[in-house]
Amino acid sequence: MIRSIRPLAVASFAGRMAVALLLGGSTLLGLGGCRNEMYDQPRYDTFEPSVFFEDGISARPLVAGTVPRGWARQDEHLEYGREGGLLVDSFPFEVDEAVLARGRVRYESFCVPCHGGLGNGDGMIVQRGLPKPPSFHEQRLREVPVGHFFDVITRGYGAMYSYAHRIKPRDRWAVVAYVKALQLSQYAQVDGLPEADRQRLEQPQEAAQ
């Protein structure tokens, strides 16, 4: 009795396996067909010409006034560092201690590797062989409008790439404010300092005497 049951069990198992393989294969073929239908759907590739449109271009121009969501640039001074197309020589908001502190954080995060802590252009990657940027303390850069620094951060210059997608506009202005503070720190006149700061500078001299 046992001998007659074993071949039947084997045959039943083989039958179930065959059905499972058949169903699995059908499913894979079906999925593959769906993917091919979506992947090979009629469409235009980038820059592919078109005979449908009169201008022969498949990519259609944007509707006038269209801007990417969240990228409307209505304040030219704040967003571009320009007014009437010319670089500005003023900040779009008041520069206070909080702005300078924010600018220092952003400067140390993004600028120090190239420009160095004091803006001399001797950052770590320069010491390792990359091109040296100009010092912020050159006479030329001490005289340029503040919009120049904002424009360079925004669009890049020479070997420096754009930081527009890394630093927000207000933070870019904060960096510019800190750069101006660095410039002032190296050329500040004692007579222009507040009375308390002048006294602190004179105290070490008096103690030495």
Side-chain angles (χ1 to χ4, degrees), residues 5 13 22 24 43 63 68 74 94 152 166-167 171 179 188 192 201:
I5 292 177
F13 175 77
L22 180 60
R43 72 185 188 282
V63 177
Q74 299 178 341
E94 182 181 356
V152 170
R166 298 169 176 83
I167 308 177
D171 280 351
V179 168
L201 288 174

Side-chain angles (χ1 to χ4, degrees), residues 13-29:
F13 175 77
R16 288 197 300 271
M17 287 295 297
V19 172
L21 290 173
L22 180 60
L23 290 175
S26 300
T27 302
L28 291 175
L29 288 174

Side-chain angles (χ1 to χ4, degrees), residues 83-200:
E83 284 185 341
L86 300 178
L87 295 172
V88 298
D89 199 15
S90 61
F91 288 85
F93 49 80
E94 182 181 356
V95 176
D96 54 19
E97 198 169 326
V99 171
L100 288 175
R102 179 65 176 175
R104 178 177 180 177
V105 171
R106 299 290 88 190
Y107 180 88
E108 291 178 348
S109 299
F110 293 99
C111 311
V112 163
C114 289
H115 294 280
L118 294 178
N120 293 317
D122 56 356
M124 182 56 65
I125 67 172
V126 175
Q127 298 176 32
R128 295 182 178 181
L130 269 72
K132 183 180 186 298
S135 169
F136 292 143
H137 308 296
E138 293 180 2
Q139 187 67 24
R140 173 181 66 87
L141 291 180
R142 290 172 56 208
E143 296 176 351
V144 296
V146 292
H148 168 79
F149 293 105
F150 184 88
D151 188 66
V152 170
I153 298 172
T154 302
R155 302 199 300 169
Y157 188 89
M160 175 179 166
Y161 50 76
S162 167
Y163 280 83
H165 294 283
R166 298 169 176 83
I167 308 177
K168 296 180 180 179
R170 294 187 70 88
D171 280 351
R172 276 177 251 160
W173 280 114
V175 170
V176 175
Y178 185 70
V179 168
K180 298 303 293 183
L182 288 177
Q183 291 177 329
L184 180 62
S185 72
Q186 302 303 301
Y187 291 92
Q189 300 296 320
V190 175
D191 294 341
L193 296 175
E195 180 64 26
D197 292 333
R198 288 203 302 270
Q199 290 180 0
R200 284 201 299 269

Side-chain angles (χ1 to χ4, degrees), residues 44 48-58 60:
Y44 285 114
E48 184 178 353
S50 168
V51 296
F52 180 81
F53 299 105
E54 293 182 359
D55 57 7
I57 301 175
S58 59
R60 308 315 301 148

